[in-house]
Amino acid sequence: MSDPIREDGLYPMRLQRFLARAGVASRRGSERLMTAGRVRVNGAVVTELGSKVDPASDVVTVDGAVCRIAERPCHLMLYKPAGYLTTMSDPHGRPTVADLVPVAERPGLYPVGRLDLDTTGLLLFTTAGELGQALLHPSHHVTKHYVALVSGTPDEGDLGRLRAGVRLEDGPAAPAEAELLSPSDPLFSLVAPRGAGRTGGGEPNAVVGLTIHEGRKHQVKKMMQAVGHRVLRLHRDAFGPLVLTGVAEGSWRELTEAETAAVEAVARGEG
Ligand code: URA
Protein backbone atom coordinates (compact mmCIF):
# COMPACT_ATOMS: atom_id res chain seq x y z
CA MET A 1 0.00 0.00 0.00
CA SER A 2 1.37 3.47 -0.79
CA ASP A 3 1.94 6.00 1.94
CA PRO A 4 -1.11 8.11 2.77
CA ILE A 5 -0.43 11.73 1.74
CA ARG A 6 -1.61 14.15 4.37
CA GLU A 7 -2.56 17.78 4.16
CA ASP A 8 0.75 18.92 5.61
CA GLY A 9 2.52 17.14 2.74
CA LEU A 10 4.43 14.89 5.18
CA TYR A 11 4.09 11.14 5.34
CA PRO A 12 6.03 8.17 6.64
CA MET A 13 9.25 7.86 4.70
CA ARG A 14 12.61 6.12 4.85
CA LEU A 15 14.90 7.61 7.44
CA GLN A 16 17.65 8.46 4.94
CA ARG A 17 15.11 10.30 2.79
CA PHE A 18 13.87 12.19 5.83
CA LEU A 19 17.45 13.20 6.69
CA ALA A 20 18.11 14.35 3.12
CA ARG A 21 14.89 16.38 3.03
CA ALA A 22 15.81 17.91 6.38
CA GLY A 23 19.02 19.13 4.73
CA VAL A 24 21.29 17.05 6.98
CA ALA A 25 23.19 15.35 4.16
CA SER A 26 22.64 13.69 0.79
CA ARG A 27 20.81 10.36 0.93
CA ARG A 28 24.10 8.51 0.64
CA GLY A 29 25.64 10.70 3.34
CA SER A 30 22.58 10.13 5.54
CA GLU A 31 23.01 6.38 5.16
CA ARG A 32 26.58 6.73 6.36
CA LEU A 33 25.40 8.71 9.41
CA MET A 34 22.90 5.94 10.15
CA THR A 35 25.36 3.08 9.85
CA ALA A 36 27.80 5.04 12.02
CA GLY A 37 25.16 4.96 14.77
CA ARG A 38 24.76 8.75 14.88
CA VAL A 39 21.03 8.80 14.15
CA ARG A 40 18.32 8.21 16.77
CA VAL A 41 14.56 7.95 16.40
CA ASN A 42 12.63 8.66 19.60
CA GLY A 43 15.87 8.13 21.52
CA ALA A 44 16.83 4.76 20.01
CA VAL A 45 19.78 4.41 17.64
CA VAL A 46 18.60 3.27 14.18
CA THR A 47 21.16 1.76 11.82
CA GLU A 48 18.85 -0.24 9.56
CA LEU A 49 18.63 1.52 6.19
CA GLY A 50 15.06 0.45 5.40
CA SER A 51 13.63 1.98 8.60
CA LYS A 52 10.76 4.41 8.23
CA VAL A 53 9.83 7.47 10.24
CA ASP A 54 6.71 9.57 10.53
CA PRO A 55 7.87 13.20 10.30
CA ALA A 56 4.75 14.40 12.12
CA SER A 57 5.25 12.33 15.26
CA ASP A 58 8.77 10.83 15.43
CA VAL A 59 11.70 12.77 16.91
CA VAL A 60 14.82 12.27 14.83
CA THR A 61 18.23 13.40 16.06
CA VAL A 62 21.72 13.35 14.57
CA ASP A 63 24.47 13.60 17.16
CA GLY A 64 21.76 14.79 19.54
CA ALA A 65 20.48 17.66 17.32
CA VAL A 66 16.81 17.47 16.36
CA CYS A 67 16.12 17.37 12.60
CA ARG A 68 12.90 18.58 11.00
CA ILE A 69 11.64 18.99 7.49
CA ALA A 70 9.62 21.99 6.41
CA GLU A 71 5.92 21.21 6.71
CA ARG A 72 4.97 22.91 3.51
CA PRO A 73 7.27 22.96 0.52
CA CYS A 74 9.00 26.26 -0.06
CA HIS A 75 9.40 27.66 -3.56
CA LEU A 76 11.25 30.86 -4.23
CA MET A 77 12.72 32.79 -7.11
CA LEU A 78 16.21 34.23 -7.00
CA TYR A 79 17.41 37.04 -9.24
CA LYS A 80 20.82 35.49 -9.84
CA PRO A 81 23.63 37.96 -10.38
CA ALA A 82 26.67 37.13 -12.51
CA GLY A 83 29.61 35.59 -10.66
CA TYR A 84 27.70 32.94 -8.67
CA LEU A 85 27.93 29.21 -9.41
CA THR A 86 24.67 27.27 -9.58
CA THR A 87 25.51 24.73 -6.91
CA MET A 88 24.73 24.44 -3.22
CA SER A 89 28.39 24.02 -2.25
CA ASP A 90 31.73 24.53 -3.90
CA PRO A 91 34.83 22.68 -2.69
CA HIS A 92 36.95 25.69 -3.76
CA GLY A 93 34.91 28.15 -1.70
CA ARG A 94 33.79 30.24 -4.66
CA PRO A 95 30.53 32.25 -4.42
CA THR A 96 27.50 30.05 -5.05
CA VAL A 97 23.76 30.67 -5.26
CA ALA A 98 23.51 29.02 -1.82
CA ASP A 99 25.04 32.24 -0.43
CA LEU A 100 21.98 34.14 -1.64
CA VAL A 101 19.02 32.01 -0.46
CA PRO A 102 17.79 31.18 3.08
CA VAL A 103 19.30 27.71 3.41
CA ALA A 104 19.40 27.78 7.21
CA GLU A 105 15.71 28.61 7.60
CA ARG A 106 14.63 26.42 4.67
CA PRO A 107 16.82 23.29 4.71
CA GLY A 108 16.55 21.21 1.59
CA LEU A 109 16.27 24.15 -0.82
CA TYR A 110 17.90 23.42 -4.15
CA PRO A 111 17.94 25.10 -7.57
CA VAL A 112 15.72 23.79 -10.35
CA GLY A 113 18.14 23.60 -13.26
CA ARG A 114 21.14 25.82 -13.64
CA LEU A 115 22.36 29.12 -15.03
CA ASP A 116 25.98 29.60 -16.09
CA LEU A 117 28.35 31.56 -13.86
CA ASP A 118 28.00 34.66 -16.03
CA THR A 119 24.24 34.34 -16.70
CA THR A 120 21.84 36.53 -14.71
CA GLY A 121 18.13 36.20 -14.03
CA LEU A 122 15.43 33.91 -12.76
CA LEU A 123 16.48 30.79 -10.89
CA LEU A 124 13.74 28.82 -9.17
CA PHE A 125 14.46 27.08 -5.86
CA THR A 126 12.30 24.52 -4.13
CA THR A 127 12.36 22.13 -1.20
CA ALA A 128 10.02 19.81 -3.15
CA GLY A 129 12.29 17.35 -4.92
CA GLU A 130 9.53 15.82 -7.01
CA LEU A 131 8.36 19.19 -8.27
CA GLY A 132 11.88 20.20 -9.30
CA GLN A 133 12.46 16.92 -11.11
CA ALA A 134 9.14 17.16 -12.92
CA LEU A 135 9.87 20.71 -14.11
CA LEU A 136 13.23 19.60 -15.50
CA HIS A 137 11.87 16.48 -17.18
CA PRO A 138 12.19 16.88 -20.97
CA SER A 139 8.64 15.59 -21.50
CA HIS A 140 7.23 18.71 -19.83
CA HIS A 141 8.95 21.08 -22.32
CA VAL A 142 9.02 23.89 -19.77
CA THR A 143 9.60 27.13 -21.67
CA LYS A 144 12.44 29.47 -20.75
CA HIS A 145 12.80 32.98 -22.10
CA TYR A 146 16.26 34.46 -22.49
CA VAL A 147 17.60 37.81 -23.59
CA ALA A 148 21.06 37.67 -25.16
CA LEU A 149 23.46 40.39 -26.18
CA VAL A 150 25.25 38.86 -29.16
CA SER A 151 28.12 39.74 -31.45
CA GLY A 152 27.02 40.99 -34.84
CA THR A 153 23.42 41.26 -35.94
CA PRO A 154 21.54 38.02 -36.72
CA ASP A 155 19.70 38.29 -40.02
CA GLU A 156 16.42 36.62 -40.98
CA GLY A 157 18.36 33.54 -42.16
CA ASP A 158 19.98 33.12 -38.74
CA LEU A 159 16.67 33.66 -36.92
CA GLY A 160 15.01 31.20 -39.32
CA ARG A 161 17.58 28.51 -38.46
CA LEU A 162 16.95 29.03 -34.76
CA ARG A 163 13.19 28.80 -35.40
CA ALA A 164 13.61 25.62 -37.45
CA GLY A 165 15.85 23.89 -34.88
CA VAL A 166 19.55 24.49 -35.31
CA ARG A 167 22.00 21.57 -35.38
CA LEU A 168 24.24 21.29 -32.30
CA GLU A 169 27.12 18.92 -31.55
CA ASP A 170 24.91 16.78 -29.29
CA GLY A 171 21.98 16.67 -31.71
CA PRO A 172 19.49 19.17 -33.13
CA ALA A 173 17.96 21.77 -30.84
CA ALA A 174 14.18 21.91 -30.77
CA PRO A 175 12.64 24.84 -32.68
CA ALA A 176 12.90 28.07 -30.69
CA GLU A 177 11.12 31.38 -30.89
CA ALA A 178 13.69 34.00 -31.82
CA GLU A 179 13.45 37.74 -32.46
CA LEU A 180 15.63 40.80 -32.48
CA LEU A 181 14.72 43.19 -29.67
CA SER A 182 14.65 46.93 -30.27
CA PRO A 183 16.24 49.38 -27.81
CA SER A 184 12.72 50.46 -26.78
CA ASP A 185 11.98 46.94 -25.46
CA PRO A 186 12.11 46.94 -21.62
CA LEU A 187 14.22 43.75 -21.70
CA PHE A 188 16.85 45.29 -23.99
CA SER A 189 18.67 47.25 -21.27
CA LEU A 190 19.02 44.14 -19.06
CA VAL A 191 21.88 42.96 -21.25
CA ALA A 192 22.83 46.16 -23.08
CA PRO A 193 22.70 48.80 -20.35
CA ARG A 194 24.44 51.48 -22.36
CA GLY A 195 22.50 50.77 -25.52
CA ALA A 196 23.35 48.30 -28.22
CA GLY A 197 25.27 48.95 -31.34
CA ARG A 198 28.84 48.46 -30.12
CA THR A 199 30.57 46.46 -27.42
CA GLY A 200 33.60 47.91 -25.67
CA GLY A 201 35.90 46.80 -28.48
CA GLY A 202 33.76 48.50 -31.09
CA GLU A 203 32.24 45.22 -32.31
CA PRO A 204 28.69 45.68 -33.65
CA ASN A 205 26.10 43.76 -31.63
CA ALA A 206 22.40 43.15 -31.13
CA VAL A 207 19.94 41.88 -28.55
CA VAL A 208 18.01 38.67 -29.25
CA GLY A 209 14.96 37.35 -27.36
CA LEU A 210 14.83 33.54 -27.38
CA THR A 211 12.22 31.12 -26.06
CA ILE A 212 13.46 27.56 -25.74
CA HIS A 213 11.84 24.40 -24.44
CA GLU A 214 14.92 22.40 -23.55
CA GLY A 215 17.57 22.75 -20.87
CA ARG A 216 20.84 21.46 -22.22
CA LYS A 217 24.11 22.76 -20.86
CA HIS A 218 25.08 26.15 -22.38
CA GLN A 219 22.15 25.72 -24.74
CA VAL A 220 21.56 29.34 -25.70
CA LYS A 221 25.27 30.06 -26.14
CA LYS A 222 25.64 26.98 -28.35
CA MET A 223 22.54 27.83 -30.41
CA MET A 224 23.72 31.37 -31.05
CA GLN A 225 27.25 30.18 -31.81
CA ALA A 226 25.81 27.70 -34.31
CA VAL A 227 24.30 30.58 -36.29
CA GLY A 228 27.52 32.61 -36.07
CA HIS A 229 26.90 34.95 -33.12
CA ARG A 230 28.74 34.82 -29.81
CA VAL A 231 26.71 35.45 -26.65
CA LEU A 232 28.28 38.36 -24.78
CA ARG A 233 25.68 38.59 -22.01
CA LEU A 234 22.78 36.36 -21.13
CA HIS A 235 19.76 36.93 -18.90
CA ARG A 236 16.74 34.68 -18.18
CA ASP A 237 13.58 36.59 -17.49
CA ALA A 238 11.01 33.75 -17.49
CA PHE A 239 10.91 30.09 -16.51
CA GLY A 240 7.68 28.25 -17.29
CA PRO A 241 4.83 30.40 -15.96
CA LEU A 242 7.18 32.48 -13.76
CA VAL A 243 8.38 35.93 -14.76
CA LEU A 244 11.21 37.68 -12.94
CA THR A 245 9.35 40.52 -11.20
CA GLY A 246 9.29 42.07 -7.75
CA VAL A 247 12.81 41.01 -6.82
CA ALA A 248 16.09 42.93 -6.97
CA GLU A 249 19.31 41.47 -8.39
CA GLY A 250 20.95 39.24 -5.75
CA SER A 251 17.66 38.90 -3.80
CA TRP A 252 14.93 36.29 -3.61
CA ARG A 253 11.23 36.17 -2.82
CA GLU A 254 8.79 33.37 -2.13
CA LEU A 255 6.41 32.52 -4.95
CA THR A 256 2.88 33.88 -4.58
CA GLU A 257 0.04 31.39 -4.25
CA ALA A 258 -0.92 31.95 -7.88
CA GLU A 259 2.66 31.34 -9.03
CA THR A 260 2.90 28.22 -6.88
CA ALA A 261 -0.33 26.88 -8.35
CA ALA A 262 0.95 27.62 -11.85
CA VAL A 263 4.30 25.80 -11.41
CA GLU A 264 2.58 22.87 -9.73
CA ALA A 265 0.23 22.62 -12.71
CA VAL A 266 3.19 22.60 -15.14
CA ALA A 267 4.88 19.91 -13.02
CA ARG A 268 1.71 17.80 -13.32
CA GLY A 269 1.92 18.22 -17.09
CA GLU A 270 -1.08 20.57 -17.18
CA GLY A 271 0.79 23.79 -17.95
N1 URA B 1 21.88 28.67 -21.93
C1 URA B 1 23.17 29.01 -21.72
O1 URA B 1 23.97 28.97 -22.64
N2 URA B 1 23.54 29.41 -20.50
C2 URA B 1 22.69 29.53 -19.45
O2 URA B 1 23.10 29.92 -18.36
C3 URA B 1 21.35 29.17 -19.67
C4 URA B 1 20.96 28.74 -20.92
Side-chain angles (χ1 to χ4, degrees):
M1 200 178 77
S2 62
D3 293 320
I5 295 181
R6 300 190 299 232
E7 258 182 32
D8 57 10
L10 301 178
Y11 44 88
M13 62 182 77
R14 283 172 178 248
L15 185 48
Q16 58 266 47
R17 178 155 190 259
F18 172 93
L19 292 169
R21 277 193 61 187
V24 173
S26 64
R27 272 197 218 185
R28 201 48 66 74
S30 300
E31 289 175 2
R32 283 196 291 270
L33 290 171
M34 290 170 65
T35 49
R38 294 168 59 186
V39 181
R40 289 173 186 260
V41 178
N42 303 325
V45 172
V46 176
T47 53
E48 199 180 313
L49 297 180
S51 307
K52 285 198 163 187
V53 284
D54 185 337
S57 56
D58 291 328
V59 178
V60 179
T61 59
V62 175
D63 297 335
V66 176
C67 310
R68 291 193 187 85
I69 54 180
E71 292 191 357
R72 287 181 59 221
C74 168
H75 315 299
L76 55 90
M77 68 166 75
L78 170 72
Y79 186 157
K80 179 191 171 298
Y84 287 80
L85 292 167
T86 304
T87 175
M88 293 310 277
S89 68
D90 178 54
H92 305 293
R94 292 169 293 183
T96 75
V97 291
D99 302 336
L100 303 172
V101 294
V103 278
E105 298 80 27
R106 292 304 208 159
L109 266 181
Y110 79 98
V112 179
R114 68 188 295 280
L115 292 177
D116 293 339
L117 181 70
D118 56 350
T119 302
T120 60
L122 197 171
L123 188 59
L124 173 67
F125 281 76
T126 183
T127 55
E130 301 80 3
L131 178 114
Q133 278 164 23
L135 291 173
L136 293 177
H137 199 276
S139 66
H140 285 141
H141 306 292
V142 173
T143 57
K144 294 121 194 157
H145 187 259
Y146 291 91
V147 188
L149 177 70
V150 299
S151 61
T153 303
D155 60 19
E156 268 309 307
D158 300 330
L159 297 174
R161 287 173 64 202
L162 294 167
R163 291 174 188 141
V166 75
R167 191 187 297 272
L168 301 179
E169 269 171 16
D170 53 350
E177 286 151 48
E179 57 173 351
L180 282 184
L181 299 187
S182 80
S184 62
D185 192 300
L187 296 174
F188 187 94
S189 60
L190 290 171
V191 290
R194 285 183 297 280
R198 307 258 144 202
T199 55
E203 189 185 7
N205 56 57
V207 176
V208 179
L210 262 183
T211 303
I212 62 172
H213 310 274
E214 298 169 298
R216 291 195 240 160
K217 205 169 177 193
H218 308 313
Q219 174 137 4
V220 172
K221 291 175 184 169
K222 286 182 180 164
M223 287 169 68
M224 292 309 309
Q225 193 67 55
V227 296
H229 301 276
R230 203 158 48 87
V231 170
L232 307 171
R233 284 198 197 169
L234 186 60
H235 176 87
R236 180 160 75 187
D237 74 297
F239 178 80
L242 304 175
V243 178
L244 187 64
T245 50
V247 60
E249 188 164 5
S251 302
W252 58 270
R253 68 167 174 82
E254 293 217 20
L255 298 194
T256 63
E257 280 187 20
E259 288 170 331
T260 300
V263 282
E264 286 176 352
V266 172
R268 287 195 300 270
E270 296 165 9

